[in-house]
Amino acid sequence: MKPVRIGLLGIGTVGGGTFEVLKRNREEITRRAGRHIEVAWVAARDLDRARAIVGPDIPVVADAVAAVSDPDVDVIVEVIGGTTVAKDAILRAIAHGKHIVTANKALLAIDGNEILSAANTHGVMIAFEAAVSGCIPIVKALREGLAANRIEWIAGIINGTSNYILSEMRTKKLPFAAALEAAQRLGYAEADPTFDIEGIDAAHKLTLLSAIGFGIPVQFDRAYIEGISKLTDRDITYAEELGYRIKLLGITRRAPTGIELRVHPTLIPAGRIIASVDGAMNAILVKSDAAGVTMYYGAGAGAEPTASAVIADIIEVTRLMQAEPEERVPFLAFQSDALSDVRILPMADVETSYYLRVRVKDVVGVLADIARTLADAGISVASMLQQGAGDADNETDIVILTHRTRERNFDAAIAKLVQMPTVRPEYARIRREDLG
Ligand code: NDP
Ligand code: HSE
């Protein structure tokens, strides 16, 4: 059978890994796909660098957008990243009837509805396993393995860079900046690492997971996003003393009045398996009605782990090329005319429990005053601890763990607390999830 020809857009971390694994596992991949998979050409900016990677036999082209109309390629693999050239190239490729494999979560989270609709119109496939959590087949699990279930929630460590930073800070006491630098060196970080540390990359991925999990359109603009850049060593240590780990979690949940879609640092009980997921590893928990809780774990970033997902998609696309569009698995797991318009909840309406650290004057009655303010707001305190004796300024940290309450309620209570003469205005608030 004629080989499948691919145009590879980008030969950086993921593109380079994909090229290498395609070459190394060529025979094994052919046995699985049923046809040889050949790289027809590669697009890059730095042509010499690209040539040094792919060798003399594979053409290297500079104009990725122009190249995708090549009648000699069947599949475009987009691993450039970003939402400009990548978008133009993908839309043009779709218009020319090419199937798409992409690792670009930013593009799909922002322009996914437009791109998926174009793919539907032109009857081509768009496969994006590599866009969520590197090698972990979570898209496949949600779209196919759990297809019988009503998904209740999905919660995961879905950004390798931030998990790596938090792990290095906790275990090696490395400063934030040094840990970030190491993550960049190891090829985990996005071109703009703000995406990693401010939770944006995790929110891109979570947006895709929520769409697939609940059968809703892609709605990145409704996600609540808070990153790890403001976390302090002090809170990491206090959390540990209280039996918790802090992880950057993406959480999407079907609540009675809508869907939660949120990324933020989260206290997780240290005994949960997911709390021990360290380094650039990712882990995702899915709670569904029939299967219960299932967990998916693996390398969330890096050249070959991500290549593993890219190539799995290339193989799948190869196998299904001759199938009619309606015989294929829908892009967002649900038929495109069966998507639901259930609303995404604003963060103020989300219910969770909290860790709160405030700095107070170490005077008699301060704990009771804080407890009363919280009680007046209907917030039930699970535990309240004074961390250490008062310092030279006679100030001390108070750490409070609350039971579940609505975020709006909690914010109003904090606003009152920090107006008390015995409480300093700076505080740390971290959400806490049991994930039971
Ligand atoms: P890199 O920056 O390492 O590689 C990007 C590649 O795209 C480079 O080869 C670059 O070429 C090429 N490129 C950029 N702009 C153009 C352009 N205008 N025309 C042609 N080629 C261009 O990125 P990654 O490989 O890390 O990431 C690629 C995608 O994969 C992103 O969407 C990212 O979010 C996603 N991803 C990354 C993971 C990772 O672990 N790194 C994991 C999962 C997904 P040149 O080198 O010549 O400038
Ligand atoms: N920058 C991303 C991360 C790459 O660190 O998770 C994988 O999507």
Side-chain angles (χ1 to χ4, degrees), residues 105 131 158-161 188-190 196 201 205 300-301:
K105 55 267 172 165
I158 49 180
N159 180 264
T161 302
Y188 303 149
E190 295 301 301
D196 297 290
D201 175 73
K205 294 165 182 161

Side-chain angles (χ1 to χ4, degrees), residues 302-372:
E304 293 208 358
T306 312
S308 162
V310 169
I311 296 169
D313 275 349
I314 298 174
I315 294 171
E316 169 121 343
V317 165
T318 301
R319 287 176 181 146
L320 289 173
M321 243 171 220
Q322 310 308 329
E324 292 301 321
E326 52 284 0
E327 290 165 353
R328 300 172 187 150
V329 180
F331 305 135
L332 295 183
F334 293 72
Q335 299 299 332
S336 56
D337 59 0
L339 295 186
S340 143
D341 60 1
V342 57
R343 74 181 186 128
I344 303 290
L345 289 177
M347 195 60 202
D349 287 346
V350 166
E351 212 179 83
T352 183
S353 42
Y354 296 88
Y355 161 106
L356 173 67
R357 171 177 54 77
V358 283
R359 190 139 186 92
V360 300
K361 290 267 176 230
D362 194 8
V363 292
V364 176
V366 65
L367 278 181
D369 290 346
I370 291 173
R372 196 171 318 110

